[in-house]
Structure formats: C-alpha cells, structure tokens
Amino acid sequence: MPTNPAVWFPNVRCHSGTDTFTERLCRALNAQGIRAEITWLPHRAEYAPWSVPVPKPPTWANVVHINSWLPPRFVPPGLPIVVTVHSSVHDPALLPYKSRLQALYHKHWIHPIEAANLARAHCVVAVSHYTAAQIEASFGIRDIQVIHNGIDCQAFAPVARTAPNRPFRLLYVGNWSARKGVDLLGPIMERLGNCWVPDDCVALL
C-alpha cells in the first residue's frame, strides 16, 4: 500500500446504508488530508454491468476502495484494492428470509463477483467479527481486518437521565425487513403493554 494514499471509490448507488458508509468514509478521509473521491454508478451496474460505461480512475488515485459486490468490470487493474464486506448474504442463517429468486441471485451472481474481488484484494475489511467469520467460511479468506461501522456521536448521544423514559420510545434504524428483526417489534411492544405509545416508534429506512 502507498505511504501517502489517495483513494478512489467506484461505487454503485443503491440508496442504502452502504451509500452512506461510502460518503462518510470519503468525507472523513478528506478531512484527514487524504484525497478521496467517489464515482457513482447507476444501480443497474450491479446486475447489468455491461450496460454501464467503465469509468477511468483519476490520475491522482493510488488506492481503489470497493464494496465486495462491485462487478469486476469496474475494478481497475494495476492499483491496490481494498474491499469492504458489509454483510454476508451467503450465511446459511439467512436462507429462511430469502425468496427463491434472491437465493439464486446470491449464489450464481453475487458469489462469483465477491470471490473475484476478494481474490484480487490487497486488504479485506469486514464490519463485524461475525461477517468476517462468514466470509472466511464462504470463501476461505483469512487475515480479514475488522473495522466496525462508526456512529456520529455528535448526532447520536445518550440523554443524561437516571430513570427510563415514560412512555417508552423506540427508535429503529434500518430497512423494514424481517432479516433485520422488524418481525420482533410487534411482540416486543405487546410485552411492554401500556408503557409505550405507538406514535413514538420511528423507523428510519
């Protein structure tokens, strides 16, 4: 890896948390004096990469950072590659939450893409130890660096208090998906009974 990195992010715009991750990482690198820039690709680049022109990396870039799902068509040769794995869709525990079409897509499209990217990577990063373990199990990749997703402590900080709030308020952050546990919200609220107010349960999608 270069001693003075300058990072290019070719990234598929998915309108999900991975977009936010990339934007915040790019902004933080620039704030630290490390030049970084994102080139956004349309969502169809994920499933129809041949329909999207291949962007050229900036001449100043000496490191490429990609999401593990980026089709290899968009990964430039000759530059060090950092691959971040945000989750493992190949985890057997997720099978009950997939449709047949999703399972086929993950197995026959995403798995080969990730395998190719991980094989080329100079560094592989996972956002949790669990994800790292799943990637090792699925691809035989070792020496995975775990860097947890950060939290903006200026925007999200605990309120100083000595007793629980009444009525109870629940903030759910994530996609409205059973895979992320939203199916548990109803039973949880039922157990809480009258100590919560439905209008105070907010989901940020």
Side-chain angles (χ1 to χ4, degrees), residues 68-112:
S68 61
W69 283 33
L70 184 72
R73 166 183 171 86
F74 303 111
V75 182
L79 288 173
I81 307 296
V82 177
V83 177
T84 290
V85 185
H86 293 279
S87 65
S88 176
V89 294
H90 316 296
D91 182 351
L94 297 180
L95 282 174
Y97 302 100
K98 296 182 184 182
S99 68
R100 178 170 175 76
L101 186 60
Q102 286 174 320
L104 290 171
Y105 181 69
H106 292 157
K107 180 178 181 179
H108 296 291
W109 184 251
I110 296 302
H111 191 280

Side-chain angles (χ1 to χ4, degrees), residues 58 121 135 178:
I135 292 302

